[in-house]
């Protein structure tokens, strides 16, 4: 209606209201009604502007969500065909609410950050669900093929996308760095595979070479080159349906009666640049959090401290960042590493000393501000306490496992009543597709009672910590003037350990003659 009125006014202004003006006389055309008031130029401009505004499309603002899952659900855009592969995967997920709960718990520190990064790059939000398929958000996840981290990077692919990997640190497990590399890789695949996101996701699993060859093969036969038409490995043909099944289950969670445990849609962690190498146990103390919590947010570190050459960044809970920075500012650089004095002996070199204390030459150089490897007999050095001394108190077995070499082990499993491939794969920490491939069956095969399955598990030869190698149980009789702190210092153990070993209250006074059980590292005492 506004458009018609505006057009009419404009037309009348041009033709119906033609006027000739003589000095002091206004002559109105006879066709114009006597009571008509001519539109002024400003009226026409305003009307045309209003008309143009009405032609513009109104853009709705995205709603604000309290839950990250809701935020993802709102943006899901990749069509999900209801084919057999997707329905099968979706049914598996829908039947295992406990698995979805575990995903939410593991992903809660990371998912908001991942969603933010995906949105910044204007990539499909479905990619934020990819770590579920890859690792179920387990930062210490390690595959048969030596892929590692929540995005499951192979060593070579990690190097290709600038993920540092050395004795100190593995960027494939670093949440921030691996997310950056994964999105870089997916962007590259999307461009290489002519803008087809499903093919790009498939190539993330099998490599772009495999997908490009499949596309070329189809083109030669004048066949379609979409994902569903390509001849790809079984693992890859199941990989994309898993992601789409999760997307569909999230979109229609009410229909399938599943719950996605809420994850707060707000920044909960932040990156802090420490600026130098730091002992992670010390960093945990300064952040007032347990070493396990610190490693959970910073799973890229292999050792007791950050890499001397960096990165020197830590992912910390947002509410801890300010007090941590205050503590950091008060801590001298040399105090950030736990060290001991060492006098150089005849035959010593930095590499010999580093090997003796299970640390690195670079770490000794950095701590002592040495410009070269030259040292002399009698010279005093500060030697960082290595994981041989720190691991036993602070570094978790899980971290030692993540850095350990992989060995393969074959297990034979006899199917029990009620077993499914899903149950067996979860129990043995392998994928359904792996089970199917190893036993020459399809992923939706029906199992028979007492059927024997072959399972190839990766076992990692974890060297026991020095405490585990040289620990000795002793009974200590409390003497007059003893305290828990004094005994702990004497035997190089922690007060918490003494309390735990003896099931006593740390607030109670010790009595002379009281007997305490201690697990003492005889090589340190």
């Amino acid at each position: 209606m506004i458009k018609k009125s505006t057009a009419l006014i404009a037309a009348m202004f041009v033709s119906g209201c033609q006027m000739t003006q003589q000095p002091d006389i206004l002559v109105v055309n006879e066709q114009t009604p006597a009571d008509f008031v001519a539109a002024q130029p400003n009226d026409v401009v305003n009307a045309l502007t209003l008309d143009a505004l009405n032609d513009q499309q109104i853009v709705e603002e995205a709603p604000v969500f309290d839950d990250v899952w809701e935020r993802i659900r709102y943006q899901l855009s990749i069509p999900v065909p209801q084919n057999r592969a997707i329905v099968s995967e979706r049914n598996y997920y829908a039947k295992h609410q406990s698995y979805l709960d575990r995903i939410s718990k593991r992903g809660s520190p990371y998912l908001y950050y991942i969603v933010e990064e995906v949105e910044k790059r204007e990539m499909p939000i479905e990619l934020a669900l990819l770590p579920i398929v890859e690792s179920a958000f387990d930062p210490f996840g390690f595959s048969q093929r030596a892929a590692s981290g929540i995005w499951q990077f192979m060593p070579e692919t990690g190097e290709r996308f600038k993920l540092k990997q050395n004795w100190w640190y593995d960027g494939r497990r670093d949440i921030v760095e691996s997310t950056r590399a994964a999105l870089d890789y997916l962007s590259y695949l999307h461009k290489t595979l002519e803008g087809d996101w499903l093919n790009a996701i498939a190539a993330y699993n099998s490599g772009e070479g495999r997908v490009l060859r499949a596309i070329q093969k189809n083109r030669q036969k004048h066949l379609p080159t979409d994902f569903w038409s390509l001849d790809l490995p079984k693992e890859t043909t199941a990989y994309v349906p898993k992601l789409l099944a999760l997307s569909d289950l999230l979109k229609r969670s009410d229909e399938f009666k599943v719950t996605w445990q809420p994850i707060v849609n707000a920044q909960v962690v932040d990156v802090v640049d420490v600026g130098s190498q730091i002992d992670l146990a010390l960093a945990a103390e300064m952040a007032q959090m347990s070493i396990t919590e610190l490693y959970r947010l910073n799973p890229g570190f292999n050792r007791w401290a950050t890499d001397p050459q960096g990165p020197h960044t830590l992912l910390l809970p947002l509410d801890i960042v300010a007090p941590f920075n205050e503590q950091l500012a008060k801590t001298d650089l040399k105090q950030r590493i736990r060290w001991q004095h060492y006098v150089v002996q005849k035959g010593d070199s930095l590499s010999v000393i580093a090997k003796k204390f299970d640390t690195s030459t670079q770490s000794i150089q950095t701590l002592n501000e040495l410009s070269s490897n030259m040292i002399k007999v009698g010279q005093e050095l500060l030697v960082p306490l290595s994981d041989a001394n720190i691991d036993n108190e602070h570094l978790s077995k899980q971290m030692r496992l993540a850095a350990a070499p992989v060995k393969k082990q074959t297990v034979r499993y006899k199917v029990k009543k009620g077993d499914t491939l899903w149950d067996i794969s979860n129990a043995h920490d392998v994928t359904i597709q792996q089970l199917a491939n190893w036993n020459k069956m399809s992923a939706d095969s029906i199992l028979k009672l007492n059927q024997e399955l072959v399972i190839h598990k990766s076992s990692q030869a974890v060297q026991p910590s020095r405490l585990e190698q040289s620990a000795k149980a002793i009974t200590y009789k409390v003497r007059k003037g003893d305290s828990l702190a004094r005994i702990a210092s004497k035997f190089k153990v922690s007060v918490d350990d003494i309390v735990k070993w003896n099931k006593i209250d740390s607030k109670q006074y010790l009595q002379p003659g009281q007997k305490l059980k201690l697990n003492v590292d005889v090589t340190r005492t």
Side-chain angles (χ1 to χ4, degrees), residues 119-154:
E119 288 179 355
K120 281 178 189 175
R121 296 176 184 235
E122 298 182 348
M123 300 168 82
I125 201 64
E126 284 84 351
L127 299 181
L129 305 176
L130 207 54
I132 303 176
V133 181
E134 287 289 350
S135 64
F137 277 117
D138 182 1
F140 301 102
F142 204 91
S143 78
Q144 290 279 348
R145 296 181 298 169
S148 189
I150 64 171
W151 294 96
Q152 288 289 283
F153 269 98
M154 297 285 286

Side-chain angles (χ1 to χ4, degrees), residues 79-180:
V80 182
Q82 297 303 305
N83 57 35
R84 183 178 178 180
I86 290 174
V87 170
S88 176
E89 295 292 348
R90 188 187 61 214
N91 289 345
Y92 268 119
Y93 289 125
K95 289 177 184 177
H96 293 82
Q97 179 64 53
S98 61
Y99 178 72
L100 299 179
D101 293 344
R102 198 154 62 244
I103 286 169
S104 290
K105 185 176 180 181
R106 285 178 179 170
S108 58
Y110 320 131
L111 189 57
Y112 175 86
Y113 172 78
I114 293 170
V115 168
E116 287 274 302
E117 294 304 304
V118 171
E119 288 179 355
K120 281 178 189 175
R121 296 176 184 235
E122 298 182 348
M123 300 168 82
I125 201 64
E126 284 84 351
L127 299 181
L129 305 176
L130 207 54
I132 303 176
V133 181
E134 287 289 350
S135 64
F137 277 117
D138 182 1
F140 301 102
F142 204 91
S143 78
Q144 290 279 348
R145 296 181 298 169
S148 189
I150 64 171
W151 294 96
Q152 288 289 283
F153 269 98
M154 297 285 286
E156 299 81 7
T157 313
E159 289 176 8
R160 181 179 166 194
F161 286 90
K162 300 178 182 177
L163 290 176
K164 188 175 182 179
Q165 301 162 61
N166 61 21
W167 188 81
W168 290 96
Y169 167 83
D170 190 339
R172 296 178 300 156
R173 295 198 309 271
D174 185 302
I175 303 301
V176 172
E177 275 299 290
S178 67
T179 298
R180 185 268 310 158

Side-chain angles (χ1 to χ4, degrees), residues 271-319:
V271 177
V272 176
D273 189 351
V274 179
S276 68
Q277 187 182 31
I278 190 168
D279 183 308
L280 293 170
L282 177 63
E285 289 175 13
M286 293 167 66
Q288 297 182 342
M289 58 196 298
S290 72
I291 190 70
T292 302
E293 291 172 320
L294 185 72
Y295 273 117
R296 192 76 191 170
L297 288 176
N298 299 275
F301 297 115
N302 291 332
R303 306 293 165 183
W304 51 276
T306 59
D307 185 341
Q309 297 301 304
H312 297 129
T313 53
L314 295 175
L315 196 61
L316 296 176
L318 191 61
D319 58 346

Side-chain angles (χ1 to χ4, degrees), residues 352-373:
V352 168
I353 298 169
K355 188 175 181 180
K356 185 183 295 184
F357 290 92
D358 196 18
T359 187
S360 70
T361 300
Q362 182 62 52
S363 189
I364 298 174
Q365 272 188 299
T366 302
L367 188 58
N368 291 275
E369 299 177 356
L370 300 176
S371 57
S372 71
N373 288 338

Side-chain angles (χ1 to χ4, degrees), residues 77-90 198 226-228 240-248 251-252:
S77 60
I78 297 179
V80 182
Q82 297 303 305
N83 57 35
R84 183 178 178 180
I86 290 174
V87 170
S88 176
E89 295 292 348
R90 188 187 61 214
L198 291 191
D226 61 286
F227 167 76
W228 305 106
V240 173
K242 283 180 182 177
L243 181 67
L244 295 180
L246 285 164
S247 169
D248 201 31
K251 193 169 189 176
R252 300 195 285 161

